[in-house]
Amino acid sequence: MNEKQKILETFPNPNPERDYIIIHTAPEFTSLCPKTGQPDFATIILEYIPDKLCVELKSYKFYLQSFRNDGIYFEAVTNRILNDLVETLQPRKMKLTAKFNTRGGIHSDIIAEYKKEQ
Amino acid sequence: MNEKQKILETFPNPNPERDYIIIHTAPEFTSLCPKTGQPDFATIILEYIPDKLCVELKSYKFYLQSFRNDGIYFEAVTNRILNDLVETLQPRKMKLTAKFNTRGGIHSDIIAEYKKEQ
Amino acid sequence: MNEKQKILETFPNPNPERDYIIIHTAPEFTSLCPKTGQPDFATIILEYIPDKLCVELKSYKFYLQSFRNDGIYFEAVTNRILNDLVETLQPRKMKLTAKFNTRGGIHSDIIAEYKKEQ
Amino acid sequence: MNEKQKILETFPNPNPERDYIIIHTAPEFTSLCPKTGQPDFATIILEYIPDKLCVELKSYKFYLQSFRNDGIYFEAVTNRILNDLVETLQPRKMKLTAKFNTRGGIHSDIIAEYKKEQ
Amino acid sequence: MNEKQKILETFPNPNPERDYIIIHTAPEFTSLCPKTGQPDFATIILEYIPDKLCVELKSYKFYLQSFRNDGIYFEAVTNRILNDLVETLQPRKMKLTAKFNTRGGIHSDIIAEYKKEQ
Amino acid sequence: MNEKQKILETFPNPNPERDYIIIHTAPEFTSLCPKTGQPDFATIILEYIPDKLCVELKSYKFYLQSFRNDGIYFEAVTNRILNDLVETLQPRKMKLTAKFNTRGGIHSDIIAEYKKEQ
Amino acid sequence: MNEKQKILETFPNPNPERDYIIIHTAPEFTSLCPKTGQPDFATIILEYIPDKLCVELKSYKFYLQSFRNDGIYFEAVTNRILNDLVETLQPRKMKLTAKFNTRGGIHSDIIAEYKKEQ
Amino acid sequence: MNEKQKILETFPNPNPERDYIIIHTAPEFTSLCPKTGQPDFATIILEYIPDKLCVELKSYKFYLQSFRNDGIYFEAVTNRILNDLVETLQPRKMKLTAKFNTRGGIHSDIIAEYKKEQ
Amino acid sequence: MNEKQKILETFPNPNPERDYIIIHTAPEFTSLCPKTGQPDFATIILEYIPDKLCVELKSYKFYLQSFRNDGIYFEAVTNRILNDLVETLQPRKMKLTAKFNTRGGIHSDIIAEYKKEQ
Amino acid sequence: MNEKQKILETFPNPNPERDYIIIHTAPEFTSLCPKTGQPDFATIILEYIPDKLCVELKSYKFYLQSFRNDGIYFEAVTNRILNDLVETLQPRKMKLTAKFNTRGGIHSDIIAEYKKEQ
């Protein structure tokens, strides 16, 4: 369990008998560009089907805030958040979409998915 | 039949010979956070294919209003409403989407579905 | 052929050799609530693949207007319009969506479909 | 000082040397209709030029929440909020706009203003 | 007092010491074209500064519904509603905007105002 | 009275005792470019305060349609429509806005006004 | 090859080795109603996968303009444009959507498709 | 008369007896940043009341295109276009708004006006 | 000159002979709440009429970024930015609008203005 | 490797073990029409699943800018960009959508896709 994962808290899925979807949309994500040190801004959309555990909303907010002064690339941060949450929650399915604000006249979306093997 | 289900009234499906879809969108749902006591606000979208029974609209409104001063979590309230309606209406199919207002800069959707076994 | 169906006029499908879709969207539908006598308002969306006949647009407008002072429920009026048009046009496929204005803080859509057996 | 005003906390205006505008927009206001007991929903927009005092945001949120289970009319609640805030803050100028959700197919805005005599 | 005015109910202005604005927006107005008998649809926006009386919302809804099967022109209905309300409420100021749906590819707005002489 | 003005029909202003505003918005205007013969498209917005006469809506539609195959410049057509209507209606005030579709990557609005001398 | 088809010019598909989609959206189509002589307005959306030929854009504009003073029904004009283009271009796939402006309070879409047999 | 002004063509104002407004909105302006050589993009909105002359639309398009490979700052280009047009057209009034695309997370508008002395 | 003002660079107004408006809209401002340490997010809109100096855009971006890890209240940060810019640029007129994201279900705008005495 | 491809820089995919999607949306593309020399404007949307390499964002911006003064047709430029990127990145899947601004009243989208053979 890495330092950032320790921030994440969980609670037992109240309805594990059913596949249902939880979506958390966080439009206030910010980190730094590792090359220029300039701030990047993104909306992070987390969609998942919980298995035994759900992520506690406030701790998830603190987890996202922990990237505020980290230098990290678009592709890396998207996969990093997905991996941290998959390891912590062991969900049935999870999708992470990061929509980054315009840089140099171009805006970028990164979309990564995880599916539990059965 | 629990206390809340007693609020729900039904009427016979006028066209049971056909599979058709009924969608009721209620943007004025409010309950309380069980942790902080603070009010939560959501839009509740109910979609279903009726079998023998349809839910009477006014009673459904009163049913939703009965959560006004209840402390209940996002995930729990969504599954609770779906379960209450499935038991009462015995529909062919039913989907419940709850779209919660922003809390701590994050807004959340919970989507649960039921399908009658055949 | 009921009284309302007599209002509907048809014309021969000019291109029966091809499956194509006709959509008529009527945002000015109004009828009365059978319980309260209060006016209801809806947008009626008719989509169909014609077989031998198409509905003449002006007569369809008059057909919809004929509900203006009728007391009829959401579910019933949607299935009624679909049935009247299916019997009159004998289409290959037809879908009727009725989107009703907010009542008691809830707005409702009813969606019914017909498919010709082959 | 009435019961609700006691909820409001203030802090000293950090820039009293300048006339500037503060706008707080609260889309989650809810109270009850005194006639029917049914919930009403509104967006409350407070605009003011502070003199010696500003309203503390969290206490203002609790103040608005205190109407949750009160029965009170549209016109009365709007003037009531304006009066409570004027007495507490003694602002140079203040405007209160309440935009109520659709009831019976009609939505209503109430706009009241206060200006300090000089 | 004409037949339609009898439908309107009033209540005493709770805050006559202050000039404030009340806006009621009714998007479900319908009447008939006196020439063709075809239904017309409009959004009626009533803005006023009350003096001694406010219009009761439900009675105002019934007043607007009373035009449902009347044949009346755009210009006439707008001035008629303004006149009926001015006589009944004796407001300090009143403005009536009627926004009619497209007819023959053209949509029309009619705006009339009244100001109390002093 | 020119050929186009003959198309315009009028009716007596039902409320000449009051200054009120009539707005007709016609999004389906088309004429030809006198240089290239290519069709132009515009939305024509007519706003006026009637004096003794109002323009009859259907005749106004036919008047606008009469430009369909005329070659005429943006500036000229806007002033022409205003002049024709001012002469026919003798209004207290009139404003004509023509919003032309994009040509060569640029879209153009022309706005002309008339005010009766007193 | 009919008179209208002669207006259409083509150029060789620069990338026939790949299936790719070309969409041309023309919001300025106008023709006449064959019954009333009144102008109709539509947006014409052409989507196709070219085989050996692409349609030259300017000639396609002139082709659409050639309907300006033709009397032709909604259903007929949609199928006509599709047929003319299919014969001229021999595309791998083609879809024609015509979205007509509101007439009598109803707006209409017609959607026709062609697929090359293999 | 500078090189760019030579591109501008004019035609006599067809209605000089009246003050009326002409607005040309050009969303496809592009020039280069003089510091970095990187392309800038803007929407240029020209509003004016013509006196004796109007600008010919096609020549105005070519005039704007002439900046395509020029290095010039936001503030300078806005004032330059205004000055060139004022000198060429001698308008009664003119306003130039340039809305530049986001650079470094900030987008910029520059607004300059000219009024003929009387 | 304080530490933050040192970040700001200026360049001479290229057109001081004319009053014109410069607007810079920065949607990516973030600072910290001094009470909770939680990040706040705002859009900062700067409007001014330059006198002798304009603010260099890149240095203005760095100036705004310098608040990233500062704890500062809504009202204070808005007046602080206005004061820093007024002192540095000595503009003829300046307006600063800060639109803060939703906190506790309420979003806030602060608007402050400066006008040079003459 | 052609001249334009040399502009493109790449970096190793940080998460090659997973199929994930990268989308870059560039609304500031401009080239010249080879027939008329007039500028064309488009939004270029690049979607791909990287294999071993990702495109570096700044170099991709420079690559797109290299078309600024090239004369090239809509269909050709779309396929050209796709081909250059496929050869350089060898992605698992790639889709290129070019949405061109209105020309002659018609706007055009071109959509091309590549899928690695397995």
Side-chain angles (χ1 to χ4, degrees), chain A residues 28 30 38 62 65 68 101, chain I residues 28 30 38 65 68 101:
Chain A
E28 298 183 343
T30 179
Q38 288 289 298
F62 290 140
Q65 289 178 3
R68 186 173 179 87
N101 280 13
Chain I
E28 297 182 343
T30 178
Q38 287 290 298
Q65 288 177 5
R68 187 172 179 89
N101 280 15

Side-chain angles (χ1 to χ4, degrees), chain J residues 12-66:
Chain J
N13 177 359
N15 293 76
E17 76 284 358
R18 172 187 287 147
D19 271 11
Y20 67 98
I21 303 169
I22 299 174
I23 306 174
H24 296 307
T25 303
E28 297 183 344
F29 181 83
T30 179
S31 58
L32 301 177
C33 174
K35 229 185 185 164
T36 64
Q38 287 289 298
D40 284 324
F41 291 83
T43 294
I44 304 291
I45 304 164
L46 170 68
E47 291 179 66
Y48 71 105
I49 298 177
D51 189 20
K52 299 219 181 62
L53 296 172
C54 296
V55 68
E56 197 276 332
L57 193 57
K58 205 167 190 178
S59 76
Y60 176 55
K61 181 181 73 170
F62 291 141
Y63 169 79
L64 292 179
Q65 289 178 3
S66 75

